[in-house]
Amino acid sequence: MKMAWRDFLPGTSDVDWCETNYAFSNYIAEYYNTVSNVIYVTMPPLLIYLFHPYSKHMGPGINVVWLLLMVVGLGSIYFHATLSFAGQLIDELAIVWVLLAGFGIWTPKHRLGWPFNGNRRRYGQFLVLLGLLVMVLALVKPILNAFILLTITIPITVLLISEMKACKDRRAWKLCYISLLWITVGVALWISDRLNCSYWLSINFPYLHSLWHVSIFLGAYIGCVLWAYLHTVQERPSLKPEIRYWPTDGFEHGVPYVHLDYSLTRYNL
């Protein structure tokens, strides 16, 4: 299947969520499903700032993840505002690339067995090829997208839980629980929006998918923070990574990030 100009037109997607179309605006199909993506656009710049020391000492790949989250948000805004097929593909494929980027950056080196043998560059090249294959499949069989996303999400969640078993840090475990909680809530919201739409319409609250956007973002970005912490502990423990919170570390309900003690790094290179 080839992309055509008509695929960019409003209403060309077969996917339509529970929220009533054009109820609040003549220009936005699903108003709340659209505006709920603002968090994907506003949070990553702050995360890029907070993770600047991490990107400097552990590699700039994490910035790719934050930027891809912005692409997810922009793609989702376009999709829910227009319900176009092109918007649907941009939304779903951007999520795939976020997950693959996370795999490429944070899969522990001891997990990179044959045929990669600990070579992260070779592993990254494989993931790029996999991403391109997924893009082709998305164009040929769009119905496979949800299955592909599930196939990628489950292993990365299982891997995270497995790697956490050796972790003793209280804040890391707290973030792990919070991340899994937000993801679980998000999945429940997504399923209920699809299966129980008539009920939510009957009580005039067909907005579960917009809440899914927020809960999945929180679960995903907190998971990224946790992976960044574990990655540093395993590969650069001399940086003494700590999970801290912005704007004040004493308030553990702020924005978590990974703090590094790199004061002596220039002498240890």
Side-chain angles (χ1 to χ4, degrees):
M1 175 182 176
K2 294 181 180 180
M3 289 288 292
W5 173 250
R6 68 173 301 276
D7 294 323
F8 290 85
L9 297 177
T12 50
S13 172
D14 293 331
V15 178
D16 192 2
W17 299 95
C18 191
E19 183 179 355
T20 305
N21 296 341
Y22 299 102
F24 295 93
S25 170
N26 293 328
Y27 305 99
I28 301 175
E30 297 174 344
Y31 182 80
Y32 283 102
N33 284 351
T34 300
V35 299
S36 58
N37 286 289
V38 170
I39 191 172
Y40 288 82
V41 181
T42 55
M43 277 292 291
L46 174 61
L47 296 172
I48 290 173
Y49 166 74
L50 293 175
F51 278 84
H52 175 68
Y54 177 92
S55 66
K56 181 179 179 180
H57 293 277
M58 296 299 296
I62 193 170
N63 291 331
V64 174
V65 173
W66 304 139
L67 291 174
L68 283 172
L69 283 175
M70 294 183 72
V71 175
V72 170
L74 293 172
S76 189
I77 287 172
Y78 173 51
F79 168 51
H80 289 289
T82 64
L83 293 180
S84 68
F85 178 67
Q88 175 191 340
L89 287 184
I90 294 171
D91 181 15
E92 294 173 345
L93 290 176
I95 297 173
V96 170
W97 282 107
V98 169
L99 294 171
L100 292 178
F103 262 120
I105 298 167
W106 294 313
T107 298
K109 190 171 289 187
H110 63 269
R111 300 280 185 177
L112 299 179
W114 186 90
F116 310 109
N117 300 322
N119 189 320
R120 194 174 295 277
R121 180 181 293 274
R122 188 184 307 166
Y123 180 58
Q125 292 169 346
F126 164 77
L127 292 174
V128 169
L129 291 175
L130 180 61
L132 294 175
L133 175 61
V134 169
M135 291 181 70
V136 173
L137 289 175
L139 290 172
V140 176
K141 283 285 186 180
I143 197 172
L144 293 176
N145 291 346
F147 174 76
I148 292 171
L149 287 173
L150 186 64
T151 302
I152 299 175
T153 302
I154 291 177
I156 201 169
T157 304
V158 172
L159 183 60
L160 174 62
I161 295 173
S162 177
E163 292 300 312
M164 281 296 299
K165 291 179 179 179
C167 180
K168 306 296 183 183
D169 185 83
R170 180 189 65 82
R171 284 189 168 185
W173 272 106
K174 181 179 178 180
L175 283 189
C176 183
Y177 291 135
I178 293 174
S179 176
L180 293 176
L181 176 62
W182 277 120
I183 291 172
T184 302
V185 169
V187 171
L189 290 168
W190 190 93
I191 293 173
S192 188
D193 184 89
R194 298 300 288 176
L195 300 183
N196 303 316
C197 181
S198 57
Y199 169 75
W200 296 111
L201 285 171
S202 70
I203 63 173
N204 199 30
F205 194 80
Y207 309 120
L208 268 66
H209 192 75
S210 63
L211 298 177
W212 138 271
H213 287 155
V214 177
S215 62
I216 285 299
F217 175 85
L218 293 173
Y221 110 79
I222 292 173
C224 289
V225 173
L226 192 53
W227 270 119
Y229 170 78
L230 293 174
H231 179 59
T232 312
V233 167
Q234 292 172 353
E235 300 203 5
R236 295 286 299 280
S238 61
L239 292 174
K240 299 180 180 179
E242 295 179 18
I243 293 173
R244 294 192 180 180
Y245 291 84
W246 181 90
T248 173
D249 190 49
F251 182 66
E252 293 192 8
H253 299 285
V255 179
Y257 67 99
V258 177
H259 170 80
L260 304 179
D261 181 7
Y262 51 90
S263 58
L264 298 178
T265 300
R266 61 181 180 273
Y267 301 111
N268 296 329
L269 292 177

